[in-house]
Amino acid sequence: MESKLPDKAQELLQSIRPDMRLTKDFFKHVYGWQISYPGFADQAISTLEAAGCSRARGYYDAWVQEYEAERDAILKKVSVWYAEELKRRRADKERQVREKRKEKARIQSLTRSELTELCQRLLQEGVISNPEQFAMVAGQDL
């Protein structure tokens, strides 16, 4: 397996010494390589055990458990936030659709003279550039 590993992963394995201090940062690196190269953690722990650290697996497992519990708690908060965000976006979209329908119904209930007046005002204000645009929106032929 070692020959398939990137140089940095091999360097990590080669840095293992009998007198080395095992830190959370070291286990984080092992865990990171484990994600991309399954079996790397076992190889690193075996190397640690061969260097005299008989508790390496316990230390690693404890670190992984702590890390994953923390990560899961964060992901749970994110998922709750995201579900609320999706709910808010859907409510906004539904509100916009209701407002458009209401506006269309209001426009369709106008008399011909009111429609003509509204069209002229929109033309003057530059909202539309020709009466056909208004007719499309109003859903009526002028």
Side-chain angles (χ1 to χ4, degrees):
M1 173 187 222
E2 195 168 326
S3 62
K4 296 179 185 178
L5 294 174
D7 291 343
K8 292 282 187 180
Q10 290 179 9
E11 286 175 24
L12 183 64
L13 289 174
Q14 292 168 0
S15 73
I16 295 173
R17 302 279 182 258
D19 60 342
M20 75 181 289
R21 185 168 178 192
L22 297 178
T23 63
K24 288 183 178 189
D25 194 51
F26 175 80
F27 288 125
K28 184 183 354 177
H29 284 89
V30 171
Y31 184 81
W33 287 114
Q34 171 65 24
I35 291 170
S36 298
Y37 298 92
F40 180 82
D42 289 331
Q43 188 174 358
I45 290 167
S46 295
T47 305
L48 283 165
E49 290 170 342
C53 184
S54 60
R55 296 184 189 166
R57 185 165 306 280
Y59 293 153
Y60 177 75
D61 290 344
W63 182 88
V64 169
Q65 187 176 13
E66 178 184 333
Y67 169 77
E68 288 181 348
E70 186 178 312
R71 182 202 59 203
D72 290 349
I74 291 169
L75 288 175
K76 186 174 183 176
K77 288 178 184 177
V78 169
S79 67
V80 167
W81 170 85
Y82 189 61
E84 289 298 318
E85 178 68 12
L86 290 176
K87 197 185 296 185
R88 185 190 63 73
R89 287 181 187 180
R90 182 181 175 120
D92 286 350
K93 188 76 165 173
E94 288 172 352
R95 181 187 47 75
Q96 290 171 353
V97 168
R98 281 192 308 274
E99 287 173 2
K100 284 181 183 177
R101 285 181 184 156
K102 195 187 267 185
E103 182 64 19
K104 189 172 182 180
R106 188 185 73 73
I107 290 173
Q108 289 176 342
S109 70
L110 295 176
T111 64
R112 187 168 186 78
S113 63
E114 290 170 327
L115 286 170
T116 302
E117 182 182 322
L118 178 59
C119 181
Q120 288 172 347
R121 189 172 33 144
L122 293 174
L123 282 166
Q124 287 173 349
E125 293 174 4
V127 175
I128 60 173
S129 57
N130 60 54
E132 290 78 23
Q133 290 175 321
F134 180 76
M136 280 186 358
V137 172
Q140 299 182 13
D141 291 325
L142 297 179

